[in-house]
Each structure stands twice: as C-alpha cells, then as structure tokens.
Amino acid sequence: MHEKVYERVMESAEAVQKLGGARPRVGLVLGSGLGAFAEGLQEAISVDYGELPHFPVSAVAGHAGRLVLGKARGVPVVVMAGRVHGYEGWTVDELAHGVRVMAAMGIQALVLTNAAGGIHPDLKPGDLMRITDHINLSGRSPLTGPNDERLGPRFPDMSTSYDPAYSDLLESVAAEGKLALRRGVYACMPGPAYETPAEIRMLRSMGADAVGMSTAPEVLAARHMGVRCVGISVITNLAAGIATNPLSHAEVKEVADRVKDRFVDLLERYVPALDEVLEPKA
Ligand code: HPA
C-alpha cells in the first residue's frame, strides 16, 4: 500500500460527500455492461471519475466510469458504474480506490457485480450467480506493502468474505421475485486475454465455478476495512474450451445487455431488503 493511500481515499470521500445527497448505506459496483441499475436511481447525482480527485479512469469500452449517488427504492446508495481492471496496468491501490472511498463514506454493505465465464457445467449464458467465495489468481492484492492501520489490520480474516447473512437474504429476495439465482465460487484471473482451455480445466479442478478479471482485489480492500460484501456474477459466456466458439468482448456485452432487466430487478428488490437488516439510521 502506498503511504499516501489513506489521505487520497479521504480526499476523494470528501469530494464525493460535497456533491450532496444523503449518506449512502449501501455501495454497489456495477460490472461490464451492467450500468443500467444506476440509471433507475432517484435523486441521482452523477459524476465522471475523471472529475473526482485520485479516481482512475478506465479506457475500456463498456466500462463507463462514473460515480452515482442516489436512492434505490428510497435507500441512499453510492454506485460505481464501471471499474478499472488490473490488466490495464493500474496499481493495486488504484484498483481498490473506489471501494475504499465508499467504505470511508460509511457504507454498511458492498454489492459487487461482474460479468463472468461459466465453468460449472450447470451454468449457462444469462444466468445470475451469487458468489459464495473467490479464488484470487490475479497475482495481486491491494494489501501488499506496508499496512496502514487506519484502514484495517495487517492480516484480515477472509473466511466470511461474502457475508453469509446478506447472501442468504439475496437468495430469499431472488426466490420471492422468481428470479433464478445460481451460486458458485468465482476465480479472478489477471486477463486481459480470456483463459486457455487448460487454464479452465485447472480452475475447475480447483473448485471454481465461474471466472472473471475483477472483484477479488475489491473484496480484499473492503474486508480489510471491515465492510461486509455480497457478490453477483452475470454469466455472459461459457468459459474457454467448454464453448466451441471463440470468446469475445462483444458476446460478453451482448449477454450482459440481455440480462439487464432481471439483474436490475434483483438489485432493486435486494437493496431495500438489505437496508432493513443494516444498523438503524443515525
Ligand atoms: N473469462 C474471464 N473473464 C470473463 C469471462 C471469461 O470467460 N467472461 C466475462 N468475463
């Protein structure tokens, strides 16, 4: 961790708070092509990452980068619509920056979403999958380097990283809304190339059900700061070697777009249910 991380996070958090709006209770990170949820927020205040101090700005198509403050069915939220990925060459602190800022703003729950390739034979494109746990094979952690105790402990526990109570709640909300929700382990690979078929066989034998290129570093940063996390993958394609066709970013975006309504429906049902179980409003 860079020595100035804490100061940078606080400066960003202050800049975001100056935009106005209620203090957010829930933070969300919307993955590739999944920005639609932010468009439905009430009383929305939206700002491009480029206008905020210290925020990294992605150059990847489909990763629109803006922070949105607003209300989801009355619940104050802060949303990262788009994220940066390690494969673009960002430092680990840049990868974690947005999540750290949301944590510094006092969110009590963080919902991380992503597009992922399905490895488990039961998963198919268009499925929504609750992340039960992750395997971080990105080779990176935002906690590498000197630790800043103001952010969190040197050796954070990761045994309940995807919060069991909040995850159970996601499952019941999905069931109530008749929205099919799979569950599985997410493997984070470095990218940017999609995996080889041999890598996918390796991941399968390790116990991974889906694969992507994000989320794990963010969860490390959030858990370090004591924020409880929930993860949702949108399965956009069958992983390499399972599919017979070549993988493409266009396919990933197209399937994410097709799933959009169900995905937004799930989040709009989930956020108010989650709000009920958070600490009472100050
Ligand atoms: N592999 C890695 N990342 C991904 C995939 C995949 O198959 N699909 C969407 N993101």
Side-chain angles (χ1 to χ4, degrees), residues 1-6 8-9 54-56 84 89-101 140-146 148 151 217-218 221 224:
M1 196 180 301
H2 189 278
E3 56 182 21
K4 285 280 190 296
V5 164
Y6 179 82
R8 285 178 190 166
V9 166
H54 312 306
F55 264 79
V84 292
W90 301 103
T91 66
V92 279
D93 290 321
E94 286 165 331
L95 289 186
H97 189 74
V99 161
R100 284 180 171 148
V101 170
R140 331 209 27 212
S141 165
L143 311 186
T144 299
D148 191 328
L151 292 177
E218 294 158 343
H224 183 230

Side-chain angles (χ1 to χ4, degrees), residues 1-211:
M1 196 180 301
H2 189 278
E3 56 182 21
K4 285 280 190 296
V5 164
Y6 179 82
E7 285 74 17
R8 285 178 190 166
V9 166
M10 292 303 154
E11 279 167 29
S12 289
E14 213 170 288
V16 176
Q17 266 146 0
K18 278 203 192 118
L19 298 170
R23 191 183 164 90
R25 288 169 56 80
V26 178
L28 299 102
V29 182
L30 304 177
S32 305
L34 301 173
F37 173 76
E39 280 144 39
L41 295 178
Q42 303 98 50
E43 301 168 38
I45 303 168
S46 170
V47 57
D48 289 343
Y49 293 148
E51 290 171 38
L52 292 167
H54 312 306
F55 264 79
V57 181
S58 170
V60 179
H63 295 174
R66 56 204 175 92
L67 197 82
V68 188
L69 293 159
K71 291 188 175 170
R73 304 232 174 131
V75 181
V77 295
V78 53
V79 178
M80 288 176 65
R83 56 154 66 88
V84 292
H85 294 80
Y87 56 74
E88 291 181 79
W90 301 103
T91 66
V92 279
D93 290 321
E94 286 165 331
L95 289 186
H97 189 74
V99 161
R100 284 180 171 148
V101 170
M102 295 196 288
M105 290 171 71
I107 56 163
Q108 292 182 48
L110 177 64
V111 182
L112 299 119
T113 69
N114 57 49
I119 299 174
H120 192 285
D122 289 349
L123 289 172
K124 50 185 192 319
D127 281 350
L128 300 177
M129 184 191 91
R130 171 173 80 77
I131 302 176
T132 56
D133 205 347
H134 76 224
I135 304 176
N136 181 18
L137 294 167
S138 68
R140 331 209 27 212
S141 165
L143 311 186
T144 299
N147 185 55
D148 191 328
E149 292 284 331
R150 291 172 294 181
L151 292 177
R154 174 75 287 188
F155 300 110
D157 174 48
M158 292 294 286
S159 56
T160 52
S161 293
Y162 298 85
D163 190 79
Y166 292 179
S167 294
D168 284 354
L169 184 65
L170 179 68
E171 299 228 341
S172 32
V173 164
E176 268 164 40
K178 300 203 170 14
L179 296 162
L181 185 64
R182 302 267 173 186
R183 62 174 88 107
V185 172
Y186 175 87
C188 174
M189 291 289 274
Y194 293 112
E195 299 69 36
T196 63
E199 285 165 344
I200 294 301
R201 288 193 296 276
M202 171 192 78
L203 294 176
R204 179 78 202 118
S205 70
M206 280 178 164
D209 300 299
V211 57

